[in-house]
């Protein structure tokens, strides 16, 4: 290491009149020492104060410039050297060098700037301040179509530099997006898809940028979907597929891109992965199965992409997804149920699926998990049933399905699984609210569902309380005689008194409770209960409620109660 000390001493006293040859020798010595022990040599370079000297050596005229930039790139691989490089004033002369024509100088300068920016706030700020990103983006644009090895190497370094410059920094990412880097990088990916290193850099850059909303609109104007799907089909290695998945997932949140991905054939790729990995217990395969099936569900969140894949229920994709539900993989069962919930966002689809026996498939799935308690799958299956029950016609079919209603009533008592219990209650209420059908109400009364709806009215979630009260009001309006006994046994009147007396009850809860009271007085026995519990007093207080609708309903209810008493 003595040579190193000598070289550092020589560099400290160097002036512009030193011969280039003696400089070259010192720089070679530094590079050699860095190759042997980067960290230790970097510390010595920092202590010697040579970094300040480098600033004056970084001139386009000097034949040593590329070596100096190379040394800076090497020392900046150490985190502790990045701020000293900025403090030594190296960024402005490095950015100036980006304007020179020499390929080796450009390559080493790109490396140096990229390494200084890596995880360094100060480095990025200095490059931003000196206007470095703009020049690099212009270089990438002009080199984009060149496929010779030297140009591809430069492109890889420049893409890497932009990646380090903008990683996890929204402001700098937005700056690059506004410079129009996205169409350039997409074009780059198309032209250089044979070059693994460059492709990888593009993917990581996309992954960085795709998180930003503003980028998705720009991506939607490019053929990124087509390029990524084309690239994806070529991949054999798990890591490469994962890299592409990491770009696809954020992009697929955009509805326009969802449709482009579907049209580019991504779905077929995903289905193929599922088929290949479903029976494997290899860790990579399990991960791929999860990512592919999750992405599939994401694609179905777009209305257009979902309808395109449903194809009137005849689509091969829809049929494949159906086959996931009875599979033995929990991941696929989950994705299948979530996919059905997404297909069920359209009334026509719901009716078609219910007519074609989807309810039985979902019930079988629920049955399989009641014992082992895979709550995520149960939740998804119940959500799918709830979406299917939105159109009146489908809700009526589901609500008259005695087997389903009996099952739901059973799950309403699943105290150990609060989520499943909640979902089952909400589904019971939805069947009544959406079908408004006497037959459905009779089925639910006969299956013992009333007591659960009454309990649901006391839930701590306002939305659930409300759904219960609306369903109970429909029961009282349409089938009071059938439900009278059960409503009495469940102590509904006492509960309504409590809800109306409680100042913390939300306005809509008070309103719906009064609507329900008015309906209940149609039954002699329930009317007696209402009279025995000073309801008039509570209701007349609500006439001055700050909420107009509640106040009006209080006046109406008071009149009804006065007439009946």
């Amino acid at each position: 290491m003595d040579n190193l000390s000598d070289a550092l001493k020589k560099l400290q006293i160097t002036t512009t009149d030193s011969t280039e040859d003696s400089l070259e020798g010192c720089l070679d010595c530094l590079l050699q020492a860095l190759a042997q022990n980067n960290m230790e040599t970097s510390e010595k370079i920092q202590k010697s104060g040579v970094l300040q000297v480098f600033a004056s050596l970084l001139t386009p005229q000097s034949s040593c410039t590329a070596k100096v930039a190379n040394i800076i790139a090497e020392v900046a691989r150490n985190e502790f050297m990045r701020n000293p490089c900025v403090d030594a004033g190296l960024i402005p002369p490095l950015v100036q060098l980006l304007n020179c024509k020499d390929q080796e100088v450009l390559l080493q300068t790109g490396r140096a700037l990229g390494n200084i920016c890596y995880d360094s706030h100060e480095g990025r700020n200095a490059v931003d301040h000196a206007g470095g990103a703009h020049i690099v983006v212009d270089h990438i644009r002009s080199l984009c179509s060149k496929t010779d090895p030297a140009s591809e190497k430069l492109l890889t370094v420049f893409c890497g530099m932009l990646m380090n410059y903008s990683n996890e920094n929204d402001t700098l990412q937005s700056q690059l997006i506004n410079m129009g880097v996205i169409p350039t990088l997409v074009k780059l990916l198309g032209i250089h898809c044979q070059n693994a290193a460059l492709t990888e850099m593009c993917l990581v850059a996309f992954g960085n940028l795709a998180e930003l909303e503003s980028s998705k609109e720009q991506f939607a104007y490019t053929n990124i979907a087509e390029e990524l799907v084309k690239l994806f089909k070529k991949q054999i290695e798990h890591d490469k597929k994962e890299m592409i998945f990491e770009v696809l997932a954020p992009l697929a949140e955009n509805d326009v891109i969802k449709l482009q991905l579907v049209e580019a054939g991504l779905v077929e790729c995903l289905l193929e992965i599922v088929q290949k990995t479903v029976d494997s217990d290899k860790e990579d395969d399990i991960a791929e199965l999860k990512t592919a099936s999750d992405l599939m569900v994401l694609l179905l969140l777009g209305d257009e992409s979902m309808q395109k894949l449903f194809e009137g229920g005849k689509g091969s994709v829809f049929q494949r997804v159906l086959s996931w539900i009875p599979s033995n993989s929990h991941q696929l069962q989950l994705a299948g149920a979530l996919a059905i919930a997404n297909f069920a966002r359209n009334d026509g689809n719901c009716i078609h699926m219910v007519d074609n026996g989807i309810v039985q498939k979902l019930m079988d799935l629920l049955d399989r998990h009641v014992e082992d308690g895979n709550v995520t799958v149960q939740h998804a299956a119940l959500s799918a049933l709830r979406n299917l029950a939105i159109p009146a016609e489908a809700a009526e079919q589901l609500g008259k399905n005695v087997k389903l209603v009996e099952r739901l009533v059973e799950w309403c008592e699943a105290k150990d699984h609060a989520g499943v219990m909640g979902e089952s209650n909400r589904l019971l209420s939805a069947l009544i609210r959406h079908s408004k059908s006497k037959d459905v109400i009779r089925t639910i009364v006969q299956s013992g569902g009333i007591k659960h709806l009454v309990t649901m009215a006391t839930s701590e979630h306002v939305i659930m309380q409300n759904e219960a009260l609306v369903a109970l009001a429909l029961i009282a309006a349409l089938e009071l005689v059938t439900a009278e006994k059960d409503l009495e046994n469940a102590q509904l009147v006492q509960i309504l008194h409590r809800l109306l007396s409680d100042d913390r009850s939300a306005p809509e809860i008070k309103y719906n409770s009064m609507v329900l009271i008015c309906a209940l007085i149609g039954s002699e026995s329930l009317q007696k209960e209402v009279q025995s519990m000073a309801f008039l007093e509570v209701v007349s207080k609500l006439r001055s409620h700050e909420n107009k609708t509640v106040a009006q309903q209080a006046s109406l209810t008071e009149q009804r109660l006065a007439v009946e008493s």
Side-chain angles (χ1 to χ4, degrees), residues 10 13-23 56-57:
K10 275 189 196 158
I13 53 172
T14 186
T15 50
T16 34
D17 51 355
S18 302
T19 65
E20 303 241 320
D21 288 349
S22 68
L23 260 181
S56 61
L57 294 176

Side-chain angles (χ1 to χ4, degrees), residues 238-265:
H238 169 72
D239 294 349
K240 290 276 162 53
K241 287 188 201 163
E242 279 296 312
M243 275 187 92
I244 302 174
F245 272 143
E246 276 166 28
V247 182
L248 286 170
L251 286 180
E253 286 167 14
N254 175 291
D255 282 358
V256 178
I257 300 176
K258 278 188 183 80
L259 193 58
Q260 291 171 352
L261 289 168
V262 168
E263 283 168 350

Side-chain angles (χ1 to χ4, degrees), residues 152-436:
E152 288 199 325
K153 201 170 175 188
L154 247 185
L155 279 167
T156 307
V157 166
F158 283 151
C159 285
M161 185 237 139
L162 288 185
M163 197 174 76
N164 287 353
Y165 171 70
S166 65
N167 188 26
E168 292 184 355
N169 183 315
D170 289 2
T171 317
L172 297 180
Q173 287 173 355
S174 299
Q175 179 195 70
L176 292 180
I177 290 167
N178 294 335
M179 286 178 195
V181 75
I182 286 176
T184 306
L185 289 175
V186 174
K187 187 176 159 194
L188 196 70
L189 186 68
I191 296 171
H192 301 272
C193 56
Q194 300 305 326
N195 182 319
L198 187 47
T199 303
E200 208 160 297
M201 280 298 175
C202 279
L203 288 174
V204 180
F206 289 148
N208 275 349
L209 298 170
E211 298 293 341
L212 277 193
E213 268 320 299
S214 57
S215 79
K216 291 173 192 170
E217 286 143 38
Q218 280 214 18
F219 274 119
Y221 284 109
T222 68
N223 61 337
I224 183 77
E226 212 178 305
E227 292 297 354
L228 286 174
V229 173
K230 204 161 70 189
L231 191 63
F232 192 80
K233 286 178 176 163
K234 288 189 194 143
Q235 302 312 319
I236 301 154
E237 290 167 45
H238 169 72
D239 294 349
K240 290 276 162 53
K241 287 188 201 163
E242 279 296 312
M243 275 187 92
I244 302 174
F245 272 143
E246 276 166 28
V247 182
L248 286 170
L251 286 180
E253 286 167 14
N254 175 291
D255 282 358
V256 178
I257 300 176
K258 278 188 183 80
L259 193 58
Q260 291 171 352
L261 289 168
V262 168
E263 283 168 350
L266 178 61
V267 173
E268 289 70 14
C269 293
L270 298 175
L271 290 173
E272 201 177 315
I273 289 181
V274 167
Q275 204 170 353
K276 278 186 187 154
T277 55
V278 65
D279 297 319
S280 167
D281 45 14
K282 288 213 308 250
E283 214 168 298
D284 284 354
D285 288 346
I286 294 168
E288 266 180 47
L289 177 72
K290 179 171 170 33
T291 316
S293 51
D294 284 348
L295 193 51
M296 185 76 198
V297 173
L298 185 56
L299 291 176
L300 294 173
L301 277 171
D303 288 337
E304 279 187 82
S305 47
M306 179 268 288
Q307 277 309 89
K308 193 175 173 64
L309 295 171
F310 189 68
E311 292 180 65
K314 303 280 182 285
S316 61
V317 175
F318 170 65
Q319 296 302 330
R320 283 287 273 286
V321 167
L322 271 187
S323 73
W324 292 359
I325 296 174
S327 87
N328 287 323
S329 151
H330 284 190
Q331 174 56 38
L332 274 195
Q333 294 165 2
L334 175 63
L338 292 171
I340 296 299
N342 284 341
F343 280 127
R345 291 201 319 280
N346 164 302
D347 286 4
N349 296 3
C350 285
I351 292 162
H352 177 90
M353 288 191 280
V354 170
D355 286 346
N356 284 280
I358 188 69
V359 176
Q360 193 54 52
K361 282 192 171 64
L362 290 167
M363 274 170 59
D364 290 345
L365 178 60
L366 280 160
D367 276 346
R368 288 169 72 173
H369 287 292
V370 169
E371 295 313 310
D372 70 2
N374 186 320
V375 183
T376 335
V377 175
Q378 286 174 290
H379 245 271
L382 286 163
S383 300
L385 285 166
R386 205 169 62 184
N387 281 7
L388 288 166
I390 290 174
E393 192 182 320
E396 174 138 22
Q397 276 205 53
L398 290 175
K400 292 197 303 206
N401 179 331
V402 179
K403 215 168 134 192
L404 171 67
V405 173
E406 283 176 351
R407 266 290 183 282
L408 289 176
V409 169
E410 229 172 273
W411 293 325
C412 284
E413 288 170 12
K415 298 270 189 300
D416 304 337
H417 307 297
V420 172
M421 192 164 97
E423 282 293 319
S424 304
N425 274 300
R426 293 187 73 181
L427 183 48
L428 267 189
S429 140
L431 295 176
I432 295 170
R433 287 179 298 113
H434 298 148
S435 70
K436 300 182 176 55

Side-chain angles (χ1 to χ4, degrees), residues 403-551:
K403 215 168 134 192
L404 171 67
V405 173
E406 283 176 351
R407 266 290 183 282
L408 289 176
V409 169
E410 229 172 273
W411 293 325
C412 284
E413 288 170 12
K415 298 270 189 300
D416 304 337
H417 307 297
V420 172
M421 192 164 97
E423 282 293 319
S424 304
N425 274 300
R426 293 187 73 181
L427 183 48
L428 267 189
S429 140
L431 295 176
I432 295 170
R433 287 179 298 113
H434 298 148
S435 70
K436 300 182 176 55
S437 143
K438 290 183 168 210
D439 289 338
V440 171
I441 293 171
R442 280 199 285 270
T443 307
I444 290 175
V445 172
Q446 279 151 11
S447 306
I450 295 291
K451 62 174 185 289
H452 298 299
L453 291 170
V454 174
T455 310
M456 183 179 164
T458 63
S459 160
E460 64 218 33
H461 305 291
V462 174
I463 186 161
M464 285 179 71
Q465 278 187 292
N466 226 6
E467 288 171 357
L469 290 169
V470 173
L472 288 164
L474 282 164
I475 292 171
L478 297 171
E479 275 295 320
L480 188 52
V481 179
T482 317
E484 182 177 53
K485 261 276 150 287
D486 288 351
L487 293 171
E488 222 174 302
N489 292 339
Q491 304 194 310
L492 175 60
V493 174
Q494 289 84 325
I495 286 168
L496 292 174
H497 191 278
R498 207 163 64 230
L499 290 176
L500 288 171
S501 314
D502 188 345
D503 294 337
R504 290 165 311 185
S505 295
E508 59 268 40
I509 300 299
K510 289 195 170 356
Y511 173 83
N512 282 323
S513 296
M514 290 189 281
V515 170
L516 184 47
I517 285 293
C518 292
L520 292 177
I521 17 190
S523 143
E524 206 174 309
S525 56
L526 291 168
Q527 185 200 344
K528 280 195 183 118
E529 276 192 44
V530 171
Q531 283 171 349
S532 70
M533 292 188 74
F535 264 92
L536 261 171
E537 216 174 289
V538 186
V539 171
S540 59
K541 272 191 199 145
L542 292 174
R543 276 202 337 231
S544 54
H545 196 278
E546 59 193 356
N547 182 303
K548 289 272 190 309
T549 322
V550 172

